[in-house]
Amino acid sequence: MDDPFATIGFALKLAQQALRTHMDAALQQIGLTTPQYAVLTFLEVEPGASNAALARRAFVTPQTMQAILVALERAGLVSRTPHPEHGRVQQTELTASGRDALKAASGIVADVEARLRDASAPLDPRDVAAMLFRLAEALR
């Protein structure tokens, strides 16, 4: 490596950091963070998801997810109830306010995604995503 700043790994980290910084700043306008958005998005697809499943989807630890869920519950965006068969497991679902917040956030995220698609031109965005998935898989 002649130039450690001209590596795939450095470029990936730079892109990831720029994405996270931009997403956090944009979502802050409606009172959300990127991990909170990830939780709301996943709960729309999988209502009742466990803390552990949500943590994996949001790329945070289970302990951090607990704090995120407490904040979302206090804000009235999610509700949590004990699992009927596993007493210590909490099932989390979106509230009506959570669905409204997700709708607003989804518009913000769509704008971010459009910027990424534009920046990837002339490459097909599906090819770019496929390559990034391959890179991630190569390191697992």
Side-chain angles (χ1 to χ4, degrees):
M1 282 194 300
D2 293 335
D3 182 358
F5 301 108
T7 63
I8 293 171
F10 184 79
L12 276 172
K13 181 59 181 169
L14 191 63
Q16 183 276 329
Q17 186 64 35
L19 174 63
R20 177 64 188 264
T21 299
H22 187 86
M23 290 274 294
D24 278 340
L27 289 169
Q28 182 183 23
Q29 297 171 19
I30 60 168
L32 291 177
T33 65
T34 301
Q36 288 173 331
Y37 167 75
V39 169
L40 297 178
T41 299
F42 188 58
L43 287 173
E44 183 179 50
V45 175
E46 191 172 316
S50 70
N51 181 328
L54 292 169
R56 284 189 297 275
R57 287 292 187 170
F59 305 106
V60 299
T61 65
Q63 295 82 359
T64 299
M65 181 51 62
Q66 180 62 25
I68 291 169
L69 290 173
V70 166
L72 289 172
E73 189 173 31
R74 284 187 182 146
L77 302 180
V78 300
S79 64
R80 298 190 300 163
T81 57
H83 189 281
E85 296 170 14
H86 307 287
R88 291 185 54 175
V89 174
Q90 293 280 316
Q91 292 182 296
T92 306
E93 296 189 10
L94 290 175
T95 63
S97 294
R99 283 184 191 80
D100 291 343
L102 177 58
K103 184 176 180 179
S106 294
I108 291 168
V109 173
D111 289 343
V112 173
E113 183 67 18
R115 288 181 69 174
L116 293 172
R117 288 174 176 270
D118 290 347
S120 69
L123 301 174
D124 184 317
R126 292 173 296 205
D127 292 339
V128 173
M131 186 223 17
L132 291 170
F133 285 127
R134 284 194 313 274
L135 292 174
E137 195 57 38
L139 300 174
R140 289 196 177 127

